[in-house]
Amino acid sequence: MPSLTRAEATARAATVDVHEYEIDLDLTAEGDTFGARTVVRFSTRPGASTFLEFEPVSVASITLNGAPVPAAAMDGERLHLSDLAEHNELAVDAVMRYSNDGEGLHKYVDPADGSTYLYQHMFINNAGRILPSFDQPDMKASFKVSVTAPGGWLVAANGPLVTGREGRWEFAPTKPISTYLCSLIAGPYHSVTSEHDGIPLALYARKALAEPLEAEAPEIFEVTRQCLDRFHEIFHIRYPFGHYQQAFAPEFNFGAMEYPGLVVFRDEFIYRSAVTESEREHRANVIAHEMAHMWFGDLVTMAWWDDLWLNESFAEYLGTRIASEATRFPDTWTTFAMQRKAWGLRADQHPSTHPVAPAEVTDTDQALLNFDGISYAKGAAVLKQLVAWVGDEAFLAGVNAHFEAHAYGNATLADLLGALSAASGRDLTTWADVWLRRAQVNTLRTEAVREGRAYASVAVLQTAPEQYPTLRPHKVGLGLYDRSADGAVVLRKRVEIEVQATGRTEVPELAGEPVADLLLLNDGDLTYAKIRLDEESTAAVPALLPLIDDSLARAVLWASTLDAVVDGERPVAELVTLVLAALPVESEVVVVEDVLRATRTLVDRYSTPETRPAALELVAQAADRLLAVSEAGGSRQLAAARGLIGATVDVKRLAGWLEGREVPDGLAIDADLRWLIVYRLTVLGAADTAMIDAEFERDRSTTGEQWAARARAARPDAEAKAAAWESIIGDTKLSNRLVEMTASGFWHAEQLDLIRPYVARYFADMPEMMRVRSGMSAEKTATYAFPAIMVEADTRRLAAELLASDDLDPILRRVVQDADDDLRRALAARF
Ligand SMILES: [Zn+2]
């Protein structure tokens, strides 16, 4: 769809008051299209003109207030209307096209049984691919949906079902919601239902996933109930959208989407193979995240996409918090410190960095690009800091006042800050200016001066990047950790201080305090900053980190260590040594997984072709040692096995596992672990096409199809690479997920000579790929297909040449700019 500008949106909202959409879809035809009859009721000032977004294949009729609208009213993907009455009724009967990129009405055929599944995703500007609409967040309306569908299908929408006889489904009109929140699923979905506190609950997944859905339903319902109860405790307005349905759909672009009354998740969340506790924690977090959106986003919606953070930062903060407070996963903040903040920090240091709350988002294209680690993770980290700053009581009072003032309407950053300032009695103007309106991140560093066995003085030094010189106030914890007689490392004392928005803040509370074995800055992870310890503490990390009891403290230390390697301050070889020493005793699964994943990536990119094999071998050894000491059948065992499979070059051992030989006790070599092994064997040249095909025969499923696509792209064979590349660039029959899997399987440090020609191809071919794919799918494909492991001056030269062209697609420009910046760091660290 063409991008909608903010100026157009403002003018349209001032002209038109939209009341209701009546949509009647006919999903019975075979092939690529479906029928859509829509009635839109809206009022305006007589004589006015406006437009609706609309992208039909063909139109049978368009009438306005009973009179035909001339064909010339369709201009590209907009339907222009003029000479409007005060009250208007637009009626359109059209044929529309299904999509395979996850936007519009996505059609998917399950390889397991040939069944067709549909889900609707109108975000961010794709409503016109289904119906004529005023597609912007501040033009809320009621949606009344009816569907004619093949027999045996299940159809669900935002509103409750009114009548559902075989093949015909009619839903009650919704409360006023934004276009991007209108939701629908259709297909032979399997369902499980329940109820809690007067709220009907339902879960849906493909019938091929019926068995795992039934198995997972008790935990999903339990988390859902716990989170609903907790939100009802902290919010004054009860859940406002009637029933709470959660659908798990194939090839969904996001983790999930917060449609009121019918949340849609990617169906990888319905586990068919063994998963770790951290994966279950992640799912609980996503459930809580989407539920938070029912208030932040759905009940009170941003007026325009510049306040996207009001949606995502709040949902990320509250999702992490509520999952930790209400479910059996108390350590979500450890995951946040380890994983999510690293995502935010990386995005914030890229050339494309932007403020959490940008002052101006000119159009929907730019809005889509802001769906990044800044809007989610940095925003949530900043909110955590805000809660530490104003106190939780004032924070919740302000948030509740905000909901009450704007329920079923739209609001802006200024509205929210007003409510929070009133509740806290603290003027947040300055705070918001430095934290929300200015990009980039500060570095906080402890300076500890010793005098004998006590601190003469302790100070926190704050710096900012040259181009972004803002210093900020930070509320931070400082933890003093000592090695105890029995070898553990325990917290002796913790102080919370307010670091001033200056270069140096003294900590008089610690003067005269006995020296700690490790002085941890940002203990408790209250603030968002790059953290560097004093010299003695840094030197003590390798010996002490494994012995610290508190997983959040370990996460802060690991995150700081990994960040220093990314920055080239410390060599990757040192990281690998630390991993070998600390990982086998690490008890927190998410730390194991994240350290293995991050180290693996850093080894591929920060070591040279000469040093890489030895570094990788040490990573494999670390995973192997952990595997040897892990409890049979436990999460750590699975995390260790996956880490080992990803790093080892011992093809004999891997092939043996596939055949059930010398498998560690309790480790299930199930469908997904088999694919991980087959994939690794493929990368190493020890699996051929026949083996991949045989595995797909054995596992003819959605996941199997995706793994097979990834494995075929990974084959160290010139023909396989050529075929994969052609698919990535131009095969529009390939769905969003299959393209992503193909692209993510393409580049391997093990295959440098074979893939080197594709470095130039990337920069030559990607503009064409951007022309045939759109939105999020295009962005992901461009990202996965980037030659990130070709850490060479030549790659940077080609990137610079592409970036110099004027008419580069803005999505591709951002992907290449940021990926090139990662190359710059890696190159500098290597030589
Ligand atoms: Zn969200």
Side-chain angles (χ1 to χ4, degrees), residues 254 256-258 289-290 293 311-312 315-316 371 376:
F254 286 86
M257 181 75 194
E258 65 268 23
H289 174 115
E290 304 311 327
H293 274 308
N311 275 12
E312 295 311 339
E316 170 114 4
F371 264 74
Y376 285 77

Side-chain angles (χ1 to χ4, degrees), residues 660-816:
R661 273 186 284 116
E662 289 175 47
V663 177
D665 246 3
L667 183 69
I669 307 292
D670 51 28
D672 287 334
L673 208 61
R674 285 187 64 88
W675 273 116
L676 201 63
I677 295 170
V678 169
Y679 181 67
R680 182 65 182 156
L681 288 174
T682 308
V683 171
L684 295 171
D688 56 10
T689 314
M691 186 171 184
I692 298 167
D693 291 346
E695 198 61 29
F696 183 43
E697 271 316 304
R698 187 189 172 113
D699 176 30
R700 227 179 157 73
S701 67
T702 300
T703 321
E705 186 180 38
Q706 293 166 4
W707 267 117
R710 192 173 186 211
R712 285 186 193 115
R715 285 189 51 226
D717 168 279
E719 254 176 63
K721 292 296 178 195
W725 195 256
E726 287 308 313
S727 306
I728 293 167
I729 301 307
D731 183 358
T732 52
K733 290 263 179 282
L734 217 54
S735 70
N736 55 338
R737 190 72 100 250
L738 290 177
V739 176
E740 283 160 31
M741 293 305 273
T742 305
S744 72
F746 193 85
W747 299 96
H748 295 280
E750 287 81 356
Q751 306 170 353
L752 289 185
D753 291 339
L754 187 64
I755 50 186
R756 180 160 283 112
Y758 290 92
V759 176
R761 291 287 299 275
Y762 178 91
F763 297 102
D765 294 348
M766 266 314 122
E768 175 58 23
M769 188 283 293
M770 297 302 296
R771 274 189 282 277
V772 300
R773 303 195 197 282
S774 69
M776 188 144 285
S777 174
E779 184 185 356
K780 286 189 185 182
T781 306
T783 303
Y784 290 135
F786 188 88
I789 54 155
M790 304 304 277
V791 184
E792 297 170 5
D794 210 39
T795 315
R796 293 207 64 208
R797 181 183 60 77
L798 291 163
E801 278 174 24
L802 183 67
L803 290 170
S805 69
D806 294 332
D807 59 347
L808 196 59
D809 180 283
I811 294 177
L812 183 58
R813 179 176 296 280
R814 184 180 283 198
V815 167
V816 172

